[in-house]
Amino acid sequence: MIAFILRRVFQSVLVLLIVGLVAFAMFSFVGDPVENMLGQERTQADVDRLREQMGLDQPIVVQYWTFLGNAFQGKFGLSYRQGREVSQIIAERLPATLELAFVSGVFAMLFGIGFGVFTAIRRNGIGSNVIMTLSLVGVSLPTFLIGILLIWVFSVELDMLPSFGRGDTVDLGWWSTGFLTESGLKALILPSITLGLYQMTLIMRLVRSEMLEVLRQDYIRFARARGLREKSVNFRHALKNTLVPVITVTGLQLGSIIAFAIITETVFQWPGVGLLFINAIQFVDIPVMAAYLMLISVMFVGINLIVDLLYFAIDPRLRVDGTKGH
């Protein structure tokens, strides 16, 4: 197991180094940061002094390792647009994105697994057919269109939920949360459904297909022949074995929720890091863009690493194969 963990950690570090190289290239090849930071009245002495302060007079390899060291400490310099530390700006916006991703992930997992099990057990029922038909909406329609439709129905026509913003928040130290206010909770509903609907349909269809496959196995027939109750067969035997291959895909989907929150945050003007990234692109704010890229990659790689280790711990076949390999 130690060899498996080390191999996965090495792969994760390698991916982060590559992403770090891409982020560093943004500083080096997308415009000149000195030109962006100094005004029209600059002199050559000002340019040379700033280049020396920023380490731009060093070789590319030295600049790259310096960038990685600073990124490891959460230092990405000053925002070209706001003139503030990028780490401070990210810290202000990150709670909004994490709360939205958390609610969307819970929504996707609970309804995805629940509907997947229901449609597998009642695969010929009317309710199952209705759910499978409606699930095509979540797979087919683009995220921004789903968000606009929800705004039109629940905000414009029914006037039940807010169409933009985060609502009132409460500061808990450096963390600002909307979970403790009524307007904050209402503001979470539409964007979380929009962000989690696609992942929910994928999880539901995966759980359904895996559940149907497990229900055809001989040990399920044997369990029924022993006289076990149908509920026990479905949930204690079938569902337990169904969730093993689902874990990997579910973990990837949870990671993509954070990575692809950009569209949802733009539609609902949600004040998270996704909307911050879109604004950074418009103003070519390279430090913010690089920080966002590194942050998302660390989250995505971290989630994948946890999922791989969890999958290894749950599936005994991998442990047996790993033992044989030694």
Side-chain angles (χ1 to χ4, degrees), residues 225-243:
R226 289 174 54 197
L228 295 179
R229 292 185 303 171
E230 193 68 18
K231 183 178 180 180
S232 177
V233 173
N234 291 331
F235 292 96
R236 291 188 58 188
H237 296 274
L239 181 59
K240 180 180 179 181
N241 291 280
T242 296
L243 293 181

Side-chain angles (χ1 to χ4, degrees), residues 34-97:
V34 175
E35 296 289 337
N36 293 326
M37 297 179 71
L38 293 178
Q40 295 293 332
E41 304 298 327
R42 65 183 180 273
T43 63
Q44 187 59 41
D46 295 332
V47 173
D48 294 339
R49 183 173 61 255
L50 184 57
R51 285 188 178 277
E52 183 179 357
Q53 292 176 354
M54 297 178 65
L56 298 179
D57 57 337
Q58 300 293 326
I60 293 294
V61 176
V62 176
Q63 293 183 39
Y64 174 58
W65 285 110
T66 302
F67 170 79
L68 290 180
N70 291 334
F72 181 76
Q73 302 175 53
K75 298 178 180 179
F76 293 92
L78 298 177
S79 168
Y80 295 164
R81 180 190 177 195
Q82 301 185 32
R84 301 164 55 203
E85 288 287 342
V86 174
S87 57
Q88 181 182 359
I89 300 174
I90 294 290
E92 294 173 356
R93 296 292 193 104
L94 190 59
T97 296

Side-chain angles (χ1 to χ4, degrees), residues 5-205:
I5 295 175
L6 292 177
R7 185 166 61 252
R8 287 293 186 269
V9 171
F10 174 77
Q11 293 171 353
S12 300
V13 172
L14 182 61
V15 171
L16 291 178
L17 289 176
I18 296 175
V19 174
L21 180 61
V22 174
F24 171 74
M26 296 174 63
F27 281 94
S28 301
F29 303 108
V30 184
D32 189 348
V34 175
E35 296 289 337
N36 293 326
M37 297 179 71
L38 293 178
Q40 295 293 332
E41 304 298 327
R42 65 183 180 273
T43 63
Q44 187 59 41
D46 295 332
V47 173
D48 294 339
R49 183 173 61 255
L50 184 57
R51 285 188 178 277
E52 183 179 357
Q53 292 176 354
M54 297 178 65
L56 298 179
D57 57 337
Q58 300 293 326
I60 293 294
V61 176
V62 176
Q63 293 183 39
Y64 174 58
W65 285 110
T66 302
F67 170 79
L68 290 180
N70 291 334
F72 181 76
Q73 302 175 53
K75 298 178 180 179
F76 293 92
L78 298 177
S79 168
Y80 295 164
R81 180 190 177 195
Q82 301 185 32
R84 301 164 55 203
E85 288 287 342
V86 174
S87 57
Q88 181 182 359
I89 300 174
I90 294 290
E92 294 173 356
R93 296 292 193 104
L94 190 59
T97 296
L98 291 181
E99 288 188 357
L100 177 60
F102 173 76
V103 176
S104 301
V106 172
F107 165 77
M109 290 183 61
L110 290 181
F111 285 93
I113 295 176
F115 285 149
V117 173
F118 176 81
T119 54
I121 296 175
R122 309 290 185 184
R123 56 184 177 276
N124 295 322
I126 297 177
S128 177
N129 292 328
V130 171
I131 292 175
M132 292 302 297
T133 302
L134 293 177
S135 69
L136 294 175
V137 176
V139 175
S140 304
L141 292 181
T143 301
F144 74 90
L145 184 56
I146 294 175
I148 293 174
L149 289 175
L150 290 177
I151 291 174
W152 175 62
V153 174
F154 293 99
S155 298
V156 178
E157 296 296 332
L158 300 179
D159 194 22
M160 294 174 55
L161 298 171
S163 60
F164 67 93
R166 196 184 176 194
D168 297 328
T169 59
V170 176
D171 292 331
L172 301 176
W174 67 274
W175 188 278
S176 62
T177 179
F179 287 152
L180 301 179
T181 63
E182 181 180 356
S183 62
L185 292 175
K186 286 184 177 180
L188 268 169
I189 296 176
L190 293 185
S192 61
I193 293 176
T194 302
L195 182 58
L197 187 60
Y198 179 74
Q199 282 73 21
M200 185 207 74
T201 53
L202 289 182
I203 294 173
M204 182 195 75
R205 288 177 171 272

